[in-house]
C-alpha cells in the first residue's frame, strides 16, 4: 500500500537540496538534485514507518481546549434529505450559477 506525503524542498546553497515531510517528523533527504533529495526522503520515511507503531489514544481535555460551542450549521444538516423537491431545486440553482459563470 502506498501513502502520500507532502514534501517541502529547498536549495539552501547551489547544488544542495534538502527535502522534508512535515507529517514525518525527523525524516529528511539531502542531495545534489531535487530528485536525489526526494529519493532519500522517501527512503527515510519508509525506514521511519518500518520502525513505528500506530496507536489511537483517548485523552480527557477540558472544554476550553475543545471549544465546545455549538455549531449552528449542524442544526439543519440533513433536514432536506427526504424532500422530494430537493433535486429539482438544486438543478435550478446549478443552472443559474452556470449561466452566471458563462456570462462573465
Amino acid at each position: 500500500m502506498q501513502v502520500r506525503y507532502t514534501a517541502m524542498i529547498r536549495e539552501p546553497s547551489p547544488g544542495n537540496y534538502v527535502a522534508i515531510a512535515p507529517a514525518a517528523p525527523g525524516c529528511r533527504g539531502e542531495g545534489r538534485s531535487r530528485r536525489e533529495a526526494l529519493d532519500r526522503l522517501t527512503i527515510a520515511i519508509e525506514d521511519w514507518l518500518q520502525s513505528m507503531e500506530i496507536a489511537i489514544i483517548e485523552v480527557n481535555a477540558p472544554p476550553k481546549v475543545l471549544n465546545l460551542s455549538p455549531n449552528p450549521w449542524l442544526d439543519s444538516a440533513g433536514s432536506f434529505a427526504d424532500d422530494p423537491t430537493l433535486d429539482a431545486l438544486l438543478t435550478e440553482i446549478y443552472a443559474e450559477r452556470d449561466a452566471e459563470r458563462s456570462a462573465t
Side-chain angles (χ1 to χ4, degrees):
M1 178 172 99
Q2 290 194 337
V3 179
R4 291 182 178 203
Y5 284 86
T6 298
M8 297 168 55
I9 307 163
R10 64 186 183 95
E11 187 179 14
S13 60
N16 180 36
Y17 292 84
V18 176
I20 62 166
C27 293
R28 66 185 278 134
E30 293 187 39
R32 288 170 278 172
S33 68
R34 293 178 77 257
R35 181 76 264 152
E36 186 177 12
L38 288 171
D39 288 344
R40 288 183 176 171
L41 175 62
T42 299
I43 292 167
I45 293 173
E46 288 172 348
D47 290 345
W48 180 67
L49 288 171
Q50 289 292 327
S51 65
M52 74 155 40
E53 173 187 351
I54 297 174
I56 298 172
I57 62 171
E58 291 185 15
V59 178
N60 292 322
K64 67 179 181 180
V65 172
L66 299 175
N67 190 15
L68 293 177
S69 61
N71 184 337
W73 294 102
L74 294 179
D75 291 341
S76 62
S79 61
F80 296 101
D82 296 324
D83 186 338
T85 63
L86 178 62
D87 287 336
L89 176 63
L90 290 175
T91 300
E92 184 179 330
I93 290 170
Y94 296 149
E96 287 183 28
R97 180 196 63 196
D98 293 342
E100 286 178 7
R101 287 182 178 168
S102 297
T104 57

